[in-house]
Amino acid sequence: MTSQLRVIEGGAVLLEPVTADPWEFQAECVEAFVASWRPRGFSPVTVENDIGLLERTLTALGRPAWDVTPEDIDRVVGDLALAGRAASTRREYVQIFKGFHRFLQVRKAVEIEAGFGVRLVCPVDEFNAARHVGDDSLAQLPPPTPERVAEFFDFLKARIATARKYGPAARDYAMFRTLYHAGLRSEEASLLDRPDIHFSRGPFGKLHIRFGKGARTSGPRPRWCPCWTASTSSCTGSSMTCGVSSPTRRSCSRTSPEAACPAGRSATACAI
């Protein structure tokens, strides 16, 4: 029986990396890691930003990724903290390296162990793992009280009646009201356009957030957001509509507080 066994040369698994130079091999691994993002649907902007972040992280570590130790991660994160970098920035450094190291474990572990004699173990542990910003950075200021918020919007509303140009003042009021009531991020609100506001959708209308924040570096994710009653009044109070409940509500286009209003109201008496 044993006489029938033969040794067959195989080639399915590489026994050595393509190059013996660790830095050159790591550069090839980075290219392969970046190439894996595109089939997963990452946006070009996200890919470009993460490439730069990964390069800065590997440069700061100063050694090939498979030789990085937990102490190296501690050193880099500590240097970022001493430099005054935000907790979110430190978290991004750790996360991008953790993702790259995971890629090496899944696709390059055999080549690295055969060529460099290193068995991959992720150096990111429970003591230096990335955490949410709020976990390791105390809030410097408490959130505003309801009275403070009401005072802020009263100031913006009064400013509309006295501003030299009605349009910008009403725009600012509508933007802050939308942020407050619809729960938008500041960048999401700044990228809204008039066609993104749909008053005919639902009882209060909806906002089309075309540049919503992505999850796990997946790029912008569009979504629909209810305007709600207050934010609908806010958006209609800009130079698009007057915010008055009337058949002509969506056709009014005031440009000043004293312009014609279907209900004969002033800017301060309107529903904005």
Side-chain angles (χ1 to χ4, degrees), residues 60-75:
L61 289 169
R63 60 175 63 191
W66 48 88
D67 289 334
V68 172
T69 64
E71 289 74 18
D72 293 323
I73 300 293
D74 296 341
R75 171 178 54 81

Side-chain angles (χ1 to χ4, degrees), residues 17-204:
V18 179
T19 175
D21 184 357
W23 298 109
E24 184 178 348
F25 181 70
Q26 178 171 268
E28 295 174 356
C29 292
V30 170
E31 293 181 0
F33 180 50
V34 172
S36 70
W37 293 344
R38 297 184 177 91
R40 293 156 63 186
F42 286 17
S43 69
V45 176
T46 300
V47 172
E48 182 178 356
N49 292 338
D50 285 355
I51 289 175
L53 179 61
L54 178 59
E55 290 177 348
R56 292 193 299 272
T57 303
L58 295 176
T59 301
L61 289 169
R63 60 175 63 191
W66 48 88
D67 289 334
V68 172
T69 64
E71 289 74 18
D72 293 323
I73 300 293
D74 296 341
R75 171 178 54 81
V76 171
V77 176
D79 291 343
L80 291 173
L82 291 176
R85 306 300 293 272
S88 58
T89 302
R90 304 197 299 268
R91 186 175 73 250
E92 290 174 354
Y93 273 74
V94 176
Q95 286 291 79
I96 192 67
F97 176 79
K98 187 176 180 180
F100 178 58
H101 200 278
R102 176 60 181 166
F103 172 82
L104 296 179
Q105 288 179 308
V106 173
R107 296 195 178 183
K108 303 292 183 179
V110 175
E111 299 176 53
I112 292 174
E113 185 173 359
F116 305 105
V118 177
R119 177 166 296 183
L120 290 175
V121 177
C122 185
V124 179
D125 53 31
E126 59 180 316
F127 298 102
N128 55 25
R131 298 183 295 174
H132 191 270
V133 176
D135 294 338
D136 56 358
S137 59
L138 298 177
Q140 296 180 354
L141 295 175
T145 62
E147 293 77 14
R148 179 59 176 169
V149 173
E151 180 182 351
F152 172 71
F153 285 118
D154 289 341
F155 164 76
L156 290 180
K157 186 181 296 185
R159 180 170 169 265
I160 295 175
T162 58
R164 185 173 64 88
K165 292 185 178 181
Y166 170 77
R171 176 205 60 199
D172 294 344
Y173 181 86
M175 182 185 68
F176 282 111
R177 272 291 186 183
T178 304
L179 287 170
Y180 181 67
H181 290 288
L184 302 185
R185 299 171 177 85
S186 57
E187 184 177 0
E188 294 174 346
S190 65
L191 295 175
L192 285 175
D193 290 329
R194 288 189 181 186
D196 296 328
I197 304 177
H198 300 261
F199 295 110
S200 60
R201 288 178 174 266
F204 306 119

